[in-house]
Amino acid sequence: MNSSGVLVIGILGLGEGRSTMSAALQSEKIRLKTICDSNEELCRQRCLEFRFDSYTTDYQHLLNDPEIDAIAIYTPDHLHAEHVKRALQHNKHVVCTKPFIDDLSEAEELLRIQRQSGCRVFVGQSSRFFEPMKRQRQDYEAGLIGELITIEAYYHADHRWFLQKGWSLRSSFKWLYGGLSHPADFIRWYMPDIEEVMGYGMLSSNGKKGGLQNHDTMHFIFRSAEGRIARVSGCYTGPVQPVTRDSEMSCILRGTEGCSQGDYMDLRYAITDKTGEERIITWEHKLKHYFRFEGKSHHAGEYQNYLEYFAASIEQGFSAYPDLEEGIGTIALLQAMDTSLQTGQPVRVGDILHRYGLGHLNKAKQP
């Protein structure tokens, strides 16, 4: 990071990385040095779109650049661990999109390499940085709803259009990781010590007709070490309610003195606080900050928010969450959820962590 507090980044992967390009180029706290993708034509397209002129198809070029402070990684899930490892070995900070890694057997090595490098790893759970969810967290930390009793989160969307993508029909594609990881992260944000999970799933008739191979409809119950419970659900191949009635994704906090609900993709937040006052807050004036291309297909504003938060954490020396350990813990939770779907039995998250020699992460930190 230079003397003016600006974080210099390189971007690897220009699909989702498109939002990060927009975020970096519109931020006063970030300077984009170079973009990288194995598809040279995509590199050219992005340069033309953003009037940018520095690209490479060789990841090593980013790693060797002494001006680059951090690598922002948006490659396919199975490549994350290798790309994160190489960045840390070259003393680069890392921003990595979710889900962080797809194989927990690689987690311990990443933890070791990070400790050796002294560099920071931040997991891009972008939904935490959407305006209603930011406000919900702020109000919760201010004590406006009292002590947390329970959490409900969901992601319900008509994603039948997604079946046009050939890779979504492969056995490797699971909505559990591709979609449900967002509301599951909301729950883990407020209840980091999830001890056990139980869930049921099914492949709907729409999903079967479309060629999906894994569940497109799921409901889970979580239990924390201290006894709190929460629920999360996801449905992905059926119609949804009008947005005036319901949002595609939402997080509801129920407390001893109040209740709050953050909605996504609608810029809407509702709270009944400890005084009994009821409010609904919207941020239509920030619509163009959050959604910059083709309606709401890319949510670049969240990426700018989290990149600036990460830059501030480096400049000011505080921990940015989700960090490496939290990212690994979330993958363990998702794998416990997956195991419960397969077995029809409750699964303890600690058992997943111990299986990979990660038992020391079982006691989650509260960000």
Side-chain angles (χ1 to χ4, degrees), residues 275-322:
T275 69
E277 182 180 353
E278 299 176 352
R279 287 165 293 170
I280 297 178
I281 303 167
T282 60
W283 292 270
E284 285 85 355
H285 63 290
K286 291 192 174 184
L287 190 65
K288 290 185 178 180
H289 170 74
Y290 282 98
F291 303 107
R292 302 178 185 179
F293 332 105
E294 294 97 37
K296 294 182 177 180
S297 64
H298 282 255
H299 29 97
E302 297 162 45
Y303 291 63
Q304 185 169 336
N305 291 351
Y306 77 53
L307 285 176
E308 291 176 353
Y309 164 73
F310 185 55
S313 76
I314 295 171
E315 181 182 21
Q316 299 170 29
F318 64 84
S319 296
Y321 293 102

Side-chain angles (χ1 to χ4, degrees), residues 162-171 173-174 211-213:
F162 212 78
L163 306 181
Q164 308 283 331
K165 302 175 184 289
W167 51 264
S168 73
L169 306 181
R170 298 173 186 166
S171 60
F173 176 75
K174 295 184 177 183
L212 280 177
Q213 297 191 45

Side-chain angles (χ1 to χ4, degrees), residues 85 107-117 324:
K85 179 170 71 172
E108 188 59 45
E109 182 184 20
L110 289 177
L111 288 165
R112 176 180 56 78
I113 293 172
Q114 185 199 25
R115 287 193 295 268
Q116 291 173 345
S117 71
L324 176 59

